[in-house]
mmCIF file with all atom_site columns, all heavy atoms in Angstrom:
data_model
loop_
_atom_site.group_PDB
_atom_site.id
_atom_site.type_symbol
_atom_site.label_atom_id
_atom_site.label_alt_id
_atom_site.label_comp_id
_atom_site.label_asym_id
_atom_site.label_entity_id
_atom_site.label_seq_id
_atom_site.pdbx_PDB_ins_code
_atom_site.Cartn_x
_atom_site.Cartn_y
_atom_site.Cartn_z
_atom_site.occupancy
_atom_site.B_iso_or_equiv
_atom_site.pdbx_formal_charge
_atom_site.auth_seq_id
_atom_site.auth_comp_id
_atom_site.auth_asym_id
_atom_site.auth_atom_id
_atom_site.pdbx_PDB_model_num
ATOM 1  N N   . ALA A 1 276 ? -8.009  16.352 12.795 1.00 85.00 ? 432 ALA A N   1
ATOM 2  C CA  . ALA A 1 276 ? -8.636  15.443 11.891 1.00 85.00 ? 432 ALA A CA  1
ATOM 3  C C   . ALA A 1 276 ? -8.042  14.057 12.038 1.00 85.00 ? 432 ALA A C   1
ATOM 4  O O   . ALA A 1 276 ? -6.879  13.907 12.318 1.00 85.00 ? 432 ALA A O   1
ATOM 5  C CB  . ALA A 1 276 ? -8.469  15.907 10.457 1.00 85.00 ? 432 ALA A CB  1
ATOM 6  N N   . PHE A 1 277 ? -8.906  13.103 12.029 1.00 90.00 ? 433 PHE A N   1
ATOM 7  C CA  . PHE A 1 277 ? -8.482  11.687 12.192 1.00 90.00 ? 433 PHE A CA  1
ATOM 8  C C   . PHE A 1 277 ? -9.017  10.826 11.005 1.00 90.00 ? 433 PHE A C   1
ATOM 9  O O   . PHE A 1 277 ? -10.020 11.094 10.490 1.00 90.00 ? 433 PHE A O   1
ATOM 10 C CB  . PHE A 1 277 ? -9.068  11.142 13.476 1.00 90.00 ? 433 PHE A CB  1
ATOM 11 C CG  . PHE A 1 277 ? -8.495  11.713 14.782 1.00 90.00 ? 433 PHE A CG  1
ATOM 12 C CD1 . PHE A 1 277 ? -9.042  12.896 15.259 1.00 90.00 ? 433 PHE A CD1 1
ATOM 13 C CD2 . PHE A 1 277 ? -7.432  11.129 15.380 1.00 90.00 ? 433 PHE A CD2 1
ATOM 14 C CE1 . PHE A 1 277 ? -8.429  13.512 16.345 1.00 90.00 ? 433 PHE A CE1 1
ATOM 15 C CE2 . PHE A 1 277 ? -6.863  11.693 16.539 1.00 90.00 ? 433 PHE A CE2 1
ATOM 16 C CZ  . PHE A 1 277 ? -7.419  12.922 17.007 1.00 90.00 ? 433 PHE A CZ  1
ATOM 17 N N   . ARG A 1 278 ? -8.187  9.899  10.681 1.00 90.00 ? 434 ARG A N   1
ATOM 18 C CA  . ARG A 1 278 ? -8.540  8.856  9.626  1.00 90.00 ? 434 ARG A CA  1
ATOM 19 C C   . ARG A 1 278 ? -8.594  7.515  10.195 1.00 90.00 ? 434 ARG A C   1
ATOM 20 O O   . ARG A 1 278 ? -7.676  7.101  10.848 1.00 90.00 ? 434 ARG A O   1
ATOM 21 C CB  . ARG A 1 278 ? -7.516  8.894  8.463  1.00 90.00 ? 434 ARG A CB  1
ATOM 22 C CG  . ARG A 1 278 ? -7.514  10.204 7.735  1.00 90.00 ? 434 ARG A CG  1
ATOM 23 C CD  . ARG A 1 278 ? -6.478  10.178 6.662  1.00 90.00 ? 434 ARG A CD  1
ATOM 24 N NE  . ARG A 1 278 ? -6.283  11.499 6.032  1.00 90.00 ? 434 ARG A NE  1
ATOM 25 C CZ  . ARG A 1 278 ? -5.118  12.011 5.725  1.00 90.00 ? 434 ARG A CZ  1
ATOM 26 N NH1 . ARG A 1 278 ? -3.970  11.303 5.908  1.00 90.00 ? 434 ARG A NH1 1
ATOM 27 N NH2 . ARG A 1 278 ? -5.062  13.256 5.187  1.00 90.00 ? 434 ARG A NH2 1
ATOM 28 N N   . ALA A 1 279 ? -9.701  6.822  9.963  1.00 92.00 ? 435 ALA A N   1
ATOM 29 C CA  . ALA A 1 279 ? -9.799  5.450  10.419 1.00 92.00 ? 435 ALA A CA  1
ATOM 30 C C   . ALA A 1 279 ? -9.819  4.563  9.142  1.00 92.00 ? 435 ALA A C   1
ATOM 31 O O   . ALA A 1 279 ? -10.678 4.643  8.238  1.00 92.00 ? 435 ALA A O   1
ATOM 32 C CB  . ALA A 1 279 ? -11.148 5.301  11.153 1.00 92.00 ? 435 ALA A CB  1
ATOM 33 N N   . ILE A 1 280 ? -8.765  3.761  9.004  1.00 92.00 ? 436 ILE A N   1
ATOM 34 C CA  . ILE A 1 280 ? -8.615  2.864  7.904  1.00 92.00 ? 436 ILE A CA  1
ATOM 35 C C   . ILE A 1 280 ? -9.066  1.469  8.275  1.00 92.00 ? 436 ILE A C   1
ATOM 36 O O   . ILE A 1 280 ? -8.540  0.861  9.191  1.00 92.00 ? 436 ILE A O   1
ATOM 37 C CB  . ILE A 1 280 ? -7.171  2.796  7.415  1.00 92.00 ? 436 ILE A CB  1
ATOM 38 C CG1 . ILE A 1 280 ? -6.552  4.231  7.222  1.00 92.00 ? 436 ILE A CG1 1
ATOM 39 C CG2 . ILE A 1 280 ? -7.017  2.017  6.097  1.00 92.00 ? 436 ILE A CG2 1
ATOM 40 C CD1 . ILE A 1 280 ? -7.250  5.132  6.283  1.00 92.00 ? 436 ILE A CD1 1
ATOM 41 N N   . VAL A 1 281 ? -10.201 1.035  7.648  1.00 93.00 ? 437 VAL A N   1
ATOM 42 C CA  . VAL A 1 281 ? -10.770 -0.251 8.021  1.00 93.00 ? 437 VAL A CA  1
ATOM 43 C C   . VAL A 1 281 ? -10.724 -1.245 6.805  1.00 93.00 ? 437 VAL A C   1
ATOM 44 O O   . VAL A 1 281 ? -10.494 -0.793 5.665  1.00 93.00 ? 437 VAL A O   1
ATOM 45 C CB  . VAL A 1 281 ? -12.258 -0.025 8.468  1.00 93.00 ? 437 VAL A CB  1
ATOM 46 C CG1 . VAL A 1 281 ? -12.331 0.818  9.659  1.00 93.00 ? 437 VAL A CG1 1
ATOM 47 C CG2 . VAL A 1 281 ? -13.081 0.549  7.296  1.00 93.00 ? 437 VAL A CG2 1
ATOM 48 N N   . PRO A 1 282 ? -10.946 -2.511 7.083  1.00 92.00 ? 438 PRO A N   1
ATOM 49 C CA  . PRO A 1 282 ? -10.689 -3.559 6.004  1.00 92.00 ? 438 PRO A CA  1
ATOM 50 C C   . PRO A 1 282 ? -11.618 -3.542 4.835  1.00 92.00 ? 438 PRO A C   1
ATOM 51 O O   . PRO A 1 282 ? -11.263 -3.928 3.759  1.00 92.00 ? 438 PRO A O   1
ATOM 52 C CB  . PRO A 1 282 ? -10.740 -4.871 6.784  1.00 92.00 ? 438 PRO A CB  1
ATOM 53 C CG  . PRO A 1 282 ? -10.529 -4.561 8.195  1.00 92.00 ? 438 PRO A CG  1
ATOM 54 C CD  . PRO A 1 282 ? -11.125 -3.196 8.422  1.00 92.00 ? 438 PRO A CD  1
ATOM 55 N N   . SER A 1 283 ? -12.929 -3.098 5.009  1.00 92.00 ? 439 SER A N   1
ATOM 56 C CA  . SER A 1 283 ? -13.896 -3.309 3.914  1.00 92.00 ? 439 SER A CA  1
ATOM 57 C C   . SER A 1 283 ? -14.899 -2.089 3.957  1.00 92.00 ? 439 SER A C   1
ATOM 58 O O   . SER A 1 283 ? -14.973 -1.301 4.969  1.00 92.00 ? 439 SER A O   1
ATOM 59 C CB  . SER A 1 283 ? -14.651 -4.602 4.122  1.00 92.00 ? 439 SER A CB  1
ATOM 60 O OG  . SER A 1 283 ? -15.459 -4.527 5.250  1.00 92.00 ? 439 SER A OG  1
ATOM 61 N N   . VAL A 1 284 ? -15.635 -2.000 2.810  1.00 92.00 ? 440 VAL A N   1
ATOM 62 C CA  . VAL A 1 284 ? -16.653 -0.943 2.744  1.00 92.00 ? 440 VAL A CA  1
ATOM 63 C C   . VAL A 1 284 ? -17.710 -1.115 3.748  1.00 92.00 ? 440 VAL A C   1
ATOM 64 O O   . VAL A 1 284 ? -18.185 -0.118 4.384  1.00 92.00 ? 440 VAL A O   1
ATOM 65 C CB  . VAL A 1 284 ? -17.231 -1.021 1.301  1.00 92.00 ? 440 VAL A CB  1
ATOM 66 C CG1 . VAL A 1 284 ? -18.452 -0.020 1.217  1.00 92.00 ? 440 VAL A CG1 1
ATOM 67 C CG2 . VAL A 1 284 ? -16.211 -0.666 0.258  1.00 92.00 ? 440 VAL A CG2 1
#
Side-chain angles (χ1 to χ4, degrees):
F433 292 84
R434 293 177 189 143
I436 312 299
V437 299
S439 67
V440 173

